[in-house]
């Protein structure tokens, strides 16, 4: 039996083939078990009673890349025990077949590990996002999304550099030097994209707004739904979905309406010039008496100006932000109706109410 196992086929003994096949088969058969054990170990290291861990979802994301990584690693270890047969010792474009196979295996191994890291980042970010959604502060939601996208980009860049080094044999120092030159050219070509990337860091650290805030920038008004590395997505009051570059969100005058403490209402009433001054003064006093609602924080009503065409009564009041928008609009409507009724009670005419237009030829 030993003599039979020592027979040589394609420059390797039958014993070596069986050992390599056993290694591959053993890892292939137990890959699911090994993957499940790895996920269980990671869950034990991270999860506790205060931090529930969705093991089922974690397995769905992580088991596939772990299984691929273990399988490729086993194949590399198994074939490393074998000699390359002379019949397969040929070259393709000055590269030996052995080196090509080895480079492909290294690339798949690195790619599976990068895939595993990417899936882990996705799961951890989802886990942290669920915890962040339980708090009233939306800054932590913005933090999780920002670093999730940032780390995914970093992982794929590192993975690409590792494949270039270990699969294609490039010297990383020369690659980085070339990338710095190319990066300078790309920076000039994609200057706006780089400015938007820098602006995303400014938004994150300066925090002029967070996810869920109602903002107005230039002609766009709506609720911030996502802050990305390049742009900010806003759901407008017309329910459209607008993408605004981060640079514009930083450089433009931005009104964060969520942070306001009161709602301001301004009304200008133009009274005819023939108004009785005593009735005009009484009317202004009566208008001031209208602002007795508990929601109104402060108010002003006075004769702000007079001129060639009308006397102008300036009315301004501030409403607490605690009431919802429908209650605010109803309060504003009631006050406007009361102002109209007060003007009529004091027999005042609005400017232009009794104006005759004469057309002459």
């Amino acid at each position: 039996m030993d003599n039979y196992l020592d027979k040589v086929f394609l420059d390797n003994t039958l014993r070596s083939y069986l050992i390599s096949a056993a290694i591959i088969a053993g890892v292939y058969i137990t890959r699911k078990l090994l993957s499940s054990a790895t996920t269980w170990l990671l869950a034990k290291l991270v999860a506790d009673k205060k931090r529930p861990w969705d093991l089922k979802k974690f397995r769905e994301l992580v088991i596939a890349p772990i299984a691929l990584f273990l399988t490729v690693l086993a194949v590399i270890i198994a074939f490393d025990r074998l000699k390359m047969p002379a019949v397969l010792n040929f070259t393709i474009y000055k590269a030996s077949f052995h080196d090509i196979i080895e480079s492909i295996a290294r690339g798949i191994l690195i790619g599976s590990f990068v895939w595993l890291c990417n899936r882990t980042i996705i799961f951890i970010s989802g886990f942290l996002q669920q915890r962040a959604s339980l708090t009233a502060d939306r800054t932590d939601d913005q933090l999780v999304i920002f670093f999730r996208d940032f780390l995914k980009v970093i992982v794929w860049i590192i993975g690409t550099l590792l494949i270039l080094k270990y699969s294609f044999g490039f010297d990383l120092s020369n690659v980085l030097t070339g990338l710095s030159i190319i990066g300078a050219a790309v920076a000039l070509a994609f200057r706006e994209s780089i400015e938007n990337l820098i602006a995303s860091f400014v938004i994150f650290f300066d925090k002029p707004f967070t996810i869920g805030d109602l903002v107005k920038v230039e002609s766009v008004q709506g609720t911030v739904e996502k802050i990305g590395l390049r742009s900010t997505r806003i759901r407008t009051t017309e329910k459209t979905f607008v993408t605004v570059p981060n640079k514009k969100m930083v450089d433009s005058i931005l009104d964060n309406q969520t942070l306001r403490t009161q709602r301001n209402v301004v009304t200008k009433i133009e009274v005819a010039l023939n108004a009785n001054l005593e009735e005009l003064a009484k009317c202004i006093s009566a208008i001031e008496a209208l602002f007795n609602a508990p929601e109104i924080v402060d108010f002003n009503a006075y004769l702000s100006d007079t001129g060639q065409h009308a006397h102008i009564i300036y009315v301004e009041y501030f409403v607490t932000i605690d009431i919802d928008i429908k209650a605010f609009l109803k309060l504003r409507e009631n006050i406007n109706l009361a102002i109209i009724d007060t003007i009529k009670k004091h027999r005042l005419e609005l400017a232009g109410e009794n104006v005759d237009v004469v057309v002459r030829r």
Side-chain angles (χ1 to χ4, degrees):
M1 183 66 177
D2 291 338
N3 293 333
Y4 183 76
L5 294 177
D6 290 333
K7 288 185 177 180
V8 177
F9 299 94
L10 296 176
D11 300 338
N12 292 281
T13 62
L14 183 58
R15 188 191 305 276
S16 299
Y17 285 120
L18 291 176
I19 292 173
S20 299
I23 292 173
I24 296 174
V27 174
Y28 183 79
I29 293 171
T30 61
R31 72 188 190 282
K32 289 186 178 180
L33 180 62
L34 293 173
S35 302
S36 299
T38 304
T39 55
W40 179 83
L41 180 61
L42 291 174
K44 281 294 183 182
L45 292 174
V46 179
D48 55 36
K49 294 182 180 179
K50 296 182 179 179
R51 292 179 295 182
W53 187 269
D54 191 351
L55 186 59
K56 181 179 179 181
K57 185 176 180 181
F58 185 64
R59 284 176 175 172
E60 291 175 356
L61 287 171
V62 174
I63 279 184
I66 287 180
L68 178 62
F69 178 80
L70 293 175
T71 303
V72 175
L73 183 63
V75 170
I76 292 175
I77 294 173
F79 278 94
D80 188 62
R81 300 178 55 87
L82 302 176
K83 296 179 181 179
M84 178 63 69
V87 68
L88 298 178
N89 192 13
F90 56 89
T91 59
I92 301 176
Y93 292 105
K94 300 181 180 179
S96 65
F97 182 70
H98 176 268
D99 293 338
I100 293 173
I101 296 299
E102 188 175 2
S103 298
I104 293 174
R106 288 176 179 175
I108 296 175
L109 185 66
I110 295 172
S112 62
F113 182 73
V114 171
W115 185 24
L116 172 62
C117 294
N118 188 51
R119 287 290 188 91
T120 305
I121 290 172
I122 292 174
F123 176 79
I124 294 177
S125 64
F127 170 70
L128 295 176
Q129 200 166 2
Q130 287 180 355
R131 291 176 56 84
S133 63
L134 301 177
T135 60
D137 188 9
R138 304 303 297 273
T139 305
D140 45 3
D141 299 72
Q142 175 183 341
L143 173 67
V144 171
I145 295 173
F146 178 84
F147 275 102
R148 180 197 64 189
D149 296 339
F150 182 75
L151 289 176
K152 285 170 65 176
V153 172
I154 294 299
V155 166
W156 283 111
I157 290 175
I158 294 175
T160 302
L161 292 176
L162 291 176
I163 290 175
L164 289 175
K165 177 176 177 60
Y166 293 104
S167 292
F168 296 95
F170 287 107
D171 186 3
L172 285 185
S173 60
N174 296 332
V175 172
L176 293 175
T177 303
L179 288 177
S180 63
I181 298 173
I182 297 173
V186 171
L188 293 175
F190 297 94
R191 180 173 57 88
E192 292 186 1
S193 297
I194 295 175
E195 289 176 348
N196 289 324
L197 178 62
I198 296 173
S200 66
F201 284 96
V202 175
I203 293 172
F204 170 70
F205 290 107
D206 194 39
K207 299 177 183 177
F209 59 89
T210 58
I211 296 175
D213 285 355
L214 178 64
V215 299
K216 182 178 182 181
V217 52
E218 295 186 354
S219 60
V220 179
Q221 181 178 6
T223 304
V224 177
E225 290 196 355
K226 182 181 179 182
I227 303 173
L229 295 177
R230 192 194 69 83
S231 61
T232 299
R233 275 77 169 187
I234 298 177
R235 181 72 64 182
T236 66
T237 52
E238 292 81 16
K239 303 305 178 183
T240 58
F241 198 56
V242 178
T243 299
V244 182
N246 285 335
K247 183 176 181 297
K248 188 174 290 295
M249 299 294 293
V250 171
D251 293 342
S252 303
I253 297 177
L254 184 139
D255 180 15
N256 192 337
Q257 298 179 359
T258 300
L259 299 180
R260 63 186 177 184
T261 57
Q262 299 169 357
R263 291 189 177 96
N264 174 243
V265 180
V266 175
T267 303
K268 293 182 180 180
I269 306 168
E270 296 183 357
V271 180
L273 293 174
N274 60 356
N276 184 283
L277 296 183
E278 185 178 353
E279 291 295 328
L280 183 60
K282 291 180 180 179
C283 180
I284 295 174
S285 299
I287 290 175
E288 288 181 340
L290 298 176
F291 303 108
N292 55 2
E295 297 86 358
I296 297 177
V297 180
D298 194 10
F299 62 90
N300 292 298
Y302 57 92
L303 185 65
S304 65
D305 201 359
T306 185
Q308 186 178 1
H309 302 289
H311 302 305
I312 300 176
I313 301 175
Y314 185 87
V315 178
E316 180 183 26
Y317 57 96
F318 297 87
V319 181
T320 178
I321 199 67
D322 297 332
I323 64 173
D324 57 35
I325 188 64
K326 290 185 178 180
F328 167 71
L329 295 176
K330 191 63 179 178
L331 175 65
R332 186 172 181 177
E333 178 188 7
N334 293 335
I335 291 177
N336 288 336
L337 292 174
I339 290 174
I340 295 172
D341 185 59
T342 302
I343 293 173
K344 288 184 178 181
K345 285 181 179 179
H346 289 82
R347 298 185 300 275
L348 297 178
E349 294 182 358
L350 296 177
E353 184 177 353
N354 293 319
V355 175
D356 294 331
V357 178
V358 179
V359 179
R360 293 181 179 178
R361 289 189 178 182

